[in-house]
Amino acid sequence: MKLNHVNLTSFDIAADQAMFERYFGLRCLAVRGRGLAVMEDEHGMVLVLNNFPRKRGDFAYPVDSDVMHIGFIQETREAVDAIHARLAADGWGAPAPRNYHGAWTFYFKAKGGYFIEVSSPTLIDRIGTGDQEPASHVSAASRARTA
């Protein structure tokens, strides 16, 4: 099974669309007025940004980044630092990367109200195997071992 899309409420679709294009390489597939943008990454995963005030009611994102966020895995610590440097240069105010949950990572708040994590791969223990491997590179064989 493959994750097809993520749909996020954004309180500033234009700013978030520009951020995802500039820093994370997503491309815009469609825009519907000021209420919807559909974007795609190089692997075909679709990110939908929506702003439908009548549908969201009094919805608000949590104030803590550990509660609700989306994450972008980078291959190296240096790649995390490079994205952080670009964000900082453009005034995003992202806290400096740090060692956190076994990875080099930082979180920042998107203009749309949700948090984004940028992280190097995290080593995780595969259930029942004692093996450790990067969480972003879980192979079919290791998934079969844990089934």
Side-chain angles (χ1 to χ4, degrees):
M1 184 178 308
K2 177 183 172 186
L3 177 63
N4 172 266
H5 72 277
V6 174
N7 188 334
L8 294 175
T9 293
S10 171
F11 300 107
D12 191 337
I13 290 176
D16 288 350
Q17 177 186 338
M19 176 211 35
F20 284 118
E21 290 171 341
R22 179 171 172 82
Y23 303 106
F24 301 105
L26 276 71
R27 66 185 183 97
C28 188
L29 300 176
V31 173
R32 303 277 193 282
R34 294 185 329 209
L36 184 76
V38 180
M39 306 185 78
E40 182 179 55
D41 73 7
E42 71 271 16
H43 304 289
M45 199 285 298
V46 173
L47 175 63
V48 179
L49 301 172
N50 76 75
N51 187 8
F52 302 125
R54 288 187 325 208
K55 290 185 177 184
R56 78 170 180 259
D58 60 355
F59 171 81
Y61 282 106
V63 296
D64 190 332
S65 63
D66 286 342
V67 175
M68 164 53 178
H69 65 271
I70 60 173
F72 289 90
I73 293 287
Q74 304 301 303
E75 292 295 322
T76 65
R77 179 179 173 140
E78 292 77 20
V80 171
D81 288 340
I83 290 177
H84 181 268
R86 290 176 60 208
L87 287 162
D90 290 342
W92 278 86
R98 63 187 172 110
N99 285 311
Y100 185 62
H101 57 66
W104 188 243
T105 189
F106 69 94
Y107 295 84
F108 71 98
K109 193 169 190 175
K111 303 295 185 201
Y114 48 89
F115 287 91
I116 296 175
E117 176 185 13
V118 180
S119 175
S120 63
T122 302
L123 290 178
I124 60 171
D125 289 319
R126 292 279 139 221
I127 297 171
T129 68
D131 294 337
Q132 282 196 334
E133 59 188 296
S136 61
H137 302 176
V138 178
S139 67
S142 67
R143 284 192 302 272
R145 286 195 310 259
T146 62

